[in-house]
Amino acid sequence: MLPGTLLVIQIDAAINGGNSGGPAFDASDRVVGVAFQGIDNAQNIGYLIPASLARTYLASTSSGVTKFNLVDVPFRAQRLENRGLRRFLKVPDGTSGAVVVAVSPLSALAPTDAEGAIADGANASALRIHDVVTAIDGQDVGDDLTVELRPGERVQVDSLITHKVAGTMTELQILRGGQPLTLRAELAPLAPLLPRWHGFDCSPEWVVIGGLVFVPLTAPLIDEASRGEAGLATSAYNMYTQVYGEHGFRTDPNREIVILITVLSGGDVNHGYGSYSLSWKELVTFNGETVQSLAALHASWQRAASADFLEFGFGAAETAWHRSIVLDGALVRESEEQLLALHGIPAGASKGVLARTHKFALQAADGASVIVPLDREGERRPKSVLGLSRVRDT
């Protein structure tokens, strides 16, 4: 779920606790990188962020930007080593490159539809499926998805893009049906498929309704769930593969994936659903309305506080897997405080969710269109029964 492959430098000097963020020099006293990682129980193995990427960071934050995002690679590619594939794509002998298999619909290189087709008069910079990228900014791309770093040393082609300052013009030389073309676009960070890092673009959040615990799906949550001897549970793995899909590009920047993480025991309100096979399943609808985010779910729950029944839909209605949980509205209201106290949960929703729900209410009162803001200001919470990831300061 990273923006793409990033370059790092491995050195044979030890990096210990407290060294991270310090400069590393070569024999000529030039800064070659910034220390950031060592390996436990290994001697004299350390890693640096290259100076080129540090310069990108400085250039990106010089204008007052407080959160630095790397430029994402806006396409997925496969190798061009097979002779039949080369003939099919009409690639001349002596020409190397990478075959485009997907393009982010949110990027400046996006085609007009999922098939990569481009209508007359559409964006001339659009990249299509089956295009062959032969060079990026003048650097030849190898059939094995690498570029030359220096004589005798090659690195992943992604690094030509991920080290760029957002908004920098990028030039792609491509073959389309055997014909050479040049595409130019200003590339930028893309909305990630899932929030990536605690304290940067996500923090633990939750909403509890009738003992059903809903959380946003994040990379740290998946990482936490994979810890332990058993590894990632089948239900969590299936959720990950469903969301990641074939190429892992986000299609709607305003939608947050909300999942049911667990069902709290106690009382009759959710009796019969405790062993329900819906853990780690995506919540799609609430009382017939599409769920756009965790805060939007909470806002809908507040509006439906007097409803006789609460229906939670999992899986698209047109699919064979669609399931529902239906709770008695009166029982939900009566049991809320008891369930929260029983499981040591401080509130029915996290601080960040409550703040955004309030914002939704103000927007609705003004008649404004409610768009889900995905930036978070929620405080960190203990893991507890919520299944939320631990936060470790470094």
Side-chain angles (χ1 to χ4, degrees):
M1 297 184 188
L2 292 173
T5 302
L6 301 174
L7 288 182
V8 298
I9 301 173
Q10 181 176 321
I11 60 174
D12 59 0
I15 292 180
N16 301 309
N19 293 150
S20 294
F25 299 88
D26 65 9
S28 300
D29 292 332
R30 297 174 300 184
V31 175
V32 295
V34 179
F36 81 99
Q37 189 178 55
I39 298 180
D40 293 339
N41 303 320
Q43 293 184 345
N44 298 333
I45 297 179
Y47 296 94
L48 309 177
I49 297 171
S52 59
L53 189 55
R55 283 195 295 268
T56 299
Y57 169 78
L58 293 174
S60 300
T61 56
S62 61
S63 60
V65 175
T66 57
K67 285 190 175 182
F68 170 59
N69 283 293
L70 294 164
V71 172
D72 287 69
V73 177
F75 60 89
R76 302 285 185 259
Q78 74 176 72
R79 294 174 176 238
L80 184 60
E81 297 170 319
N82 181 270
R83 184 179 300 178
L85 179 60
R86 294 177 62 87
R87 291 181 57 195
F88 174 74
L89 297 173
K90 300 179 181 178
V91 179
D93 291 341
T95 299
S96 61
V99 184
V100 175
V101 296
V103 182
S104 167
L106 303 180
S107 83
L109 291 168
T112 56
D113 62 34
E115 300 300 322
I118 302 176
D120 292 340
N123 178 13
S125 297
L127 192 63
R128 302 186 191 184
I129 294 172
H130 287 169
D131 281 351
V132 177
V133 179
T134 59
I136 298 177
D137 292 333
Q139 289 194 247
D140 292 338
V141 176
D143 292 336
D144 58 352
L145 308 183
T146 65
V147 294
E148 187 177 67
L149 178 65
R150 51 194 172 207
E153 189 172 356
R154 302 184 69 84
V155 295
Q156 293 296 308
V157 66
D158 290 6
S159 61
L160 293 180
I161 294 177
T162 53
H163 83 283
K164 283 177 170 286
V165 176
T168 302
M169 185 63 69
T170 299
E171 181 178 282
L172 276 64
Q173 302 290 333
I174 70 167
L175 287 177
R176 179 174 295 161
Q179 298 300 311
L181 295 172
T182 299
L183 305 182
R184 296 181 180 87
E186 294 182 2
L187 302 184
L190 301 173
L193 183 66
L194 299 175
R196 292 167 172 154
W197 297 291
H198 268 315
F200 183 76
D201 61 353
C202 65
S203 60
E205 305 276 17
W206 71 87
V207 168
V208 182
I209 304 174
L212 308 182
V213 182
F214 298 99
V215 299
L217 185 64
T218 67
L221 180 63
I222 294 174
D223 180 63
E224 178 69 19
S226 66
R227 298 178 186 274
E229 296 181 359
L232 193 63
T234 300
S235 56
Y237 175 79
N238 290 341
M239 180 76 258
Y240 169 78
T241 54
Q242 173 191 328
V243 170
Y244 191 81
E246 188 175 357
H247 301 298
F249 282 127
R250 190 167 182 166
T251 57
D252 184 352
N254 294 316
R255 186 166 183 271
E256 179 179 64
I257 297 174
V258 177
I259 64 170
L260 174 66
I261 194 72
T262 192
V263 178
L264 303 178
S265 60
D268 295 332
V269 61
N270 54 45
H271 178 72
Y273 296 128
S275 59
Y276 214 45
S277 59
L278 285 174
S279 178
W280 283 85
K281 293 298 188 293
E282 181 180 2
L283 178 66
V284 177
T285 61
F286 174 68
N287 281 356
E289 296 182 4
T290 300
V291 175
Q292 284 290 100
S293 72
L294 192 64
L297 168 64
H298 187 257
S300 296
W301 155 231
Q302 296 303 299
R303 291 194 299 271
S306 60
D308 291 334
F309 300 99
L310 305 177
E311 182 181 10
F312 304 85
F314 302 85
E318 64 272 13
T319 66
W321 195 89
H322 180 74
R323 298 288 188 277
S324 294
I325 287 179
V326 178
L327 300 181
D328 184 298
L331 281 179
V332 170
R333 293 185 288 274
E334 292 171 6
S335 62
E336 181 177 20
E337 290 188 8
Q338 177 187 355
L339 275 174
L340 294 177
L342 180 63
H343 293 275
I345 301 175
S350 57
K351 182 180 177 180
V353 168
L354 292 174
R356 291 195 299 282
T357 302
H358 179 65
K359 185 175 182 179
F360 291 162
L362 293 178
Q363 289 175 323
D366 292 337
S369 177
V370 177
I371 301 295
V372 180
L374 296 183
D375 55 308
R376 291 180 164 33
E377 297 178 356
E379 64 183 14
R380 295 175 177 179
R381 296 286 186 179
K383 183 180 177 184
S384 185
V385 295
L386 298 176
L388 302 174
S389 303
R390 292 190 297 265
V391 177
R392 182 180 67 184
D393 294 325
T394 56

